[in-house]
Amino acid sequence: MTVAAEPKSAGLKREMGLMSAINVIISVMIGSGIFVSPTAALRYSGSVGFCLVVWTVCGGISLLGALCFAELGTVVPRSGAEYAYLIEAFKKSHSFWGPLPSFICAWVYVMILRPAEIAVIILTFAEYSILPFRHLLGLEHMPAEDLHLLIKLIGILGLGKTNSSVASIPPMTSFVIFSILGIITYINLSSVKLYVTINNVFGFCKVFACLVVIFGGIYQLAIGNTENLAGGFQGTNTSPGHIALAFYNGLWAYDGWSSVTTITEEIKKPEVNIPRSIMIAVPIITGLYVFMNLAYMTVLSMGEMIASEAVGIDFGDRALGSFSFVIPLGVALATFGCALSIQFGVTRLCYVASQEGQMLEPLSYIHVRRSTPAPAVAMQGVLALAFILVGNIETLIEFASFLIWFFYGAAVVALLALRRTQPNVHRPYKVPLIVPYITLAVSVFLSIVPVISDPSPKYLFAVAFILSGVLVYTPFIYYKVRPRWINKLTFIIQVLFEVVPSSSKLD
């Protein structure tokens, strides 16, 4: 029957070439971080000279980590990035402990880390959308607390929901940021081709915004504005804790170099295009980030940058004159594209983890016509809303960076394990052995030193959340306890989202 044959064709499809893969990396890496993190990175580094060193070294560290993932992406040709590598490397080593690291990875990424990132980015989108238009909207005299509340309410509007409490928001403001998260979720529900098209356009827009900042800085240097750079390394912080936090905030902006390996199953010729996309995109973005920070420093002093609510906008007001609107517009496009791609990637992690029986089975189901993991996309939209309501940007940056580098280190351990257990597997790209050891050392440093030097509750919460995954894993994954209501939930999801098990589950 035709109806029976249709589910057999359901599954993810390879629709992305090299340029699309590069744009995925650019889309995730160039988001809110470069416009939010410069303040914290500069504060913790203590000097303009060391701050530029931090941004340069962060780019080098990111490239080393990306090279490790380039090899892993060719050895383990599955979506899911860190999750896929951990499950491949350790699943068969022990019935209980072997699959546990991969489950903890999926648990943290799906339930808290990626939704938190999306929340940070959407809040930043709202901030950059409001600030340039405060005078037009009559908000220039609004108290800071009320302005931050307005930002949160605008972020909520991105879900496309109505709420009587936001009725007083000016219509122009509502129009500018209408349905942010709702549109993102709709795009990822609709089709991969739609995502690729929109992502490519937004990728060019955000690079253009970066180049506007850089050329503005070059002009300032050409006319002799070097006073703010004269301090060099004076005042550099030497505390290991401050250095680690400076790198935290810099590396947050670089996060995303592994994004292309999260969607491996949708990349054409992944054994070729994944390494190439990483080696092209990461150095380009490193250059953009370093020169953007240098541009900021040509017109803003250290104190002004640290006190700034929106460094990019302040730079535009001073350096670009009547064309300053280009910066907030570019930032809005950049943050939208970043949130779009992060949600796109984490839903693929849900998809793979569900296929392995480590997430609810319907999260691996595919829409019968659109070939998208619709239930996973919808779940991520709901989780992002929760973080928009309660999130604090700087706290989330430090908290998320702690978890990100914990799992990056775990993935490098998986690379070393696969080198030993599968030495004869064909590796189209093989990173020099020194590179994973350097990356592992950096991940250990960034995961441990800040916790020791500043034992903040946010780090304890991160550890507690990781441990909570064990409590979920033991009964539901290891012992395979299946509540009776799961079958009803699965049926409701299939009917509501028009999804069926992916072809790999049916074959």
Side-chain angles (χ1 to χ4, degrees):
M1 293 177 62
T2 304
V3 175
E6 188 175 29
K8 287 283 186 181
S9 64
L12 301 179
K13 302 185 185 304
R14 299 191 184 276
E15 300 186 41
M16 300 186 188
L18 177 60
M19 287 304 301
S20 295
I22 293 172
N23 262 316
V24 167
I25 299 174
I26 289 176
S27 185
V28 177
M29 290 185 73
I30 304 180
S32 65
I34 190 58
F35 302 98
V36 176
S37 296
T39 297
L42 181 59
R43 180 172 67 251
Y44 288 120
S45 61
S47 69
V48 294
F50 187 57
C51 182
L52 292 175
V53 170
V54 166
W55 283 98
T56 304
V57 174
C58 284
I61 292 172
S62 299
L63 180 58
L64 294 181
L67 293 176
C68 294
F69 275 64
E71 176 179 334
L72 285 165
T74 60
V75 175
V76 185
R78 297 189 68 186
S79 297
E82 296 97 311
Y83 174 84
Y85 310 145
L86 290 171
I87 196 75
E88 177 69 20
F90 304 118
K91 181 179 180 180
K92 298 179 180 179
S93 62
H94 190 277
S95 61
F96 180 86
W97 299 106
L100 181 59
S102 58
F103 173 79
I104 295 297
C105 178
W107 171 252
V108 171
Y109 271 110
V110 171
M111 300 304 296
I112 191 168
L113 201 151
R114 294 311 183 195
E117 287 184 351
I118 293 171
V120 170
I121 295 164
I122 288 178
L123 288 171
T124 304
F125 178 100
E127 183 174 4
Y128 271 79
S129 298
I130 292 174
L131 290 177
F133 305 108
R134 279 185 292 183
H135 298 293
L136 292 175
L137 300 173
L139 304 176
E140 65 269 22
H141 302 300
M142 177 179 284
E145 292 183 0
D146 292 342
L147 182 61
H148 287 300
L149 175 60
L150 179 59
I151 289 171
K152 276 196 173 185
L153 293 176
I154 288 174
I156 296 170
L157 282 180
L159 290 165
K161 305 247 182 223
T162 58
N163 191 316
S164 59
S165 65
V166 300
S168 60
I169 295 178
M172 184 180 297
T173 305
S174 299
F175 175 78
V176 170
I177 44 74
F178 177 74
S179 299
I180 307 166
L181 186 54
I183 292 174
I184 288 170
T185 305
Y186 173 78
I187 291 169
N188 284 328
L189 282 171
S190 296
S191 76
V192 175
K193 287 185 178 179
L194 177 62
Y195 160 78
V196 170
T197 301
I198 293 174
N199 190 54
N200 288 344
V201 172
F202 278 60
F204 287 115
C205 289
K206 63 180 64 181
V207 170
F208 176 77
C210 292
L211 291 176
V212 169
V213 171
I214 291 171
F215 283 108
I218 292 173
Y219 174 77
Q220 294 299 318
L221 289 174
I223 63 176
N225 284 344
T226 59
E227 181 181 351
N228 296 329
L229 300 171
F233 290 87
Q234 185 178 355
T236 298
N237 285 323
T238 57
S239 165
H242 281 90
I243 292 173
L245 290 174
F247 279 99
Y248 260 162
N249 287 276
L251 288 166
W252 166 265
Y254 281 101
D255 182 48
W257 44 261
S258 65
S259 56
V260 71
T261 59
T262 309
I263 57 172
T264 299
E265 294 175 49
E266 291 162 282
I267 302 292
K268 299 175 182 177
K269 298 181 179 178
E271 69 282 358
V272 174
N273 287 329
I274 287 179
R276 285 181 180 176
S277 63
I278 288 172
M279 293 176 190
I280 293 171
V282 176
I284 289 174
I285 293 169
T286 300
L288 291 175
Y289 279 9
V290 172
F291 285 107
M292 284 181 72
N293 277 274
L294 181 63
Y296 291 150
M297 294 171 184
T298 61
V299 296
L300 298 171
S301 66
M302 274 191 62
E304 288 171 332
M305 284 187 66
I306 291 172
S308 175
E309 292 182 359
V311 176
I313 289 178
D314 289 345
F315 171 84
D317 289 341
R318 294 194 185 186
L320 301 178
S322 59
F323 293 96
S324 61
F325 72 92
V326 173
I327 301 302
L329 178 61
V331 174
L333 294 173
T335 50
F336 182 92
C338 184
L340 176 68
S341 291
I342 289 175
Q343 187 187 79
F344 184 88
V346 73
T347 57
R348 274 53 184 177
L349 193 157
C350 292
Y351 170 82
V352 175
S354 179
Q355 285 185 322
E356 292 289 338
Q358 293 194 346
M359 285 280 172
L360 290 175
E361 184 179 338
L363 294 178
S364 69
Y365 286 8
I366 299 294
H367 194 280
V368 293
R369 295 183 303 278
R370 299 171 181 170
S371 299
T372 59
V377 174
M379 184 186 74
Q380 284 301 305
V382 173
L383 291 174
L385 170 61
F387 280 98
I388 288 174
L389 295 173
V390 303
N392 173 276
I393 289 181
E394 188 165 338
T395 300
L396 284 175
I397 286 175
E398 295 177 0
F399 169 61
S401 295
F402 168 80
L403 293 173
I404 286 169
W405 278 92
F406 177 86
F407 288 114
Y408 284 165
V412 173
V413 173
L415 183 149
L416 297 173
L418 289 171
R419 285 270 187 100
R420 186 180 61 182
T421 59
Q422 301 181 20
N424 298 322
V425 170
H426 176 59
R427 288 170 168 80
Y429 173 79
K430 189 173 183 179
V431 71
L433 189 60
I434 187 64
V435 173
Y437 282 114
I438 293 174
T439 305
L440 182 59
V442 170
S443 68
V444 171
F445 173 78
L446 292 173
S447 299
I448 294 178
V449 171
V451 179
I452 296 175
S453 61
D454 180 24
S456 171
K458 61 178 172 284
Y459 300 127
L460 298 178
F461 176 75
V463 173
F465 192 82
I466 291 173
L467 294 177
S468 71
V470 180
L471 300 179
V472 176
Y473 170 82
T474 303
F476 298 111
I477 308 302
Y478 183 68
Y479 288 108
K480 303 185 184 302
V481 173
R482 183 182 174 87
R484 295 181 179 178
W485 50 265
I486 289 294
N487 289 334
K488 292 183 179 179
L489 176 64
T490 300
F491 175 78
I492 292 172
I493 290 175
Q494 284 193 271
V495 173
L496 182 63
F497 292 100
E498 297 184 82
V499 292
V500 293
S502 61
S503 56
S504 60
K505 297 281 289 185
L506 290 164
D507 292 339

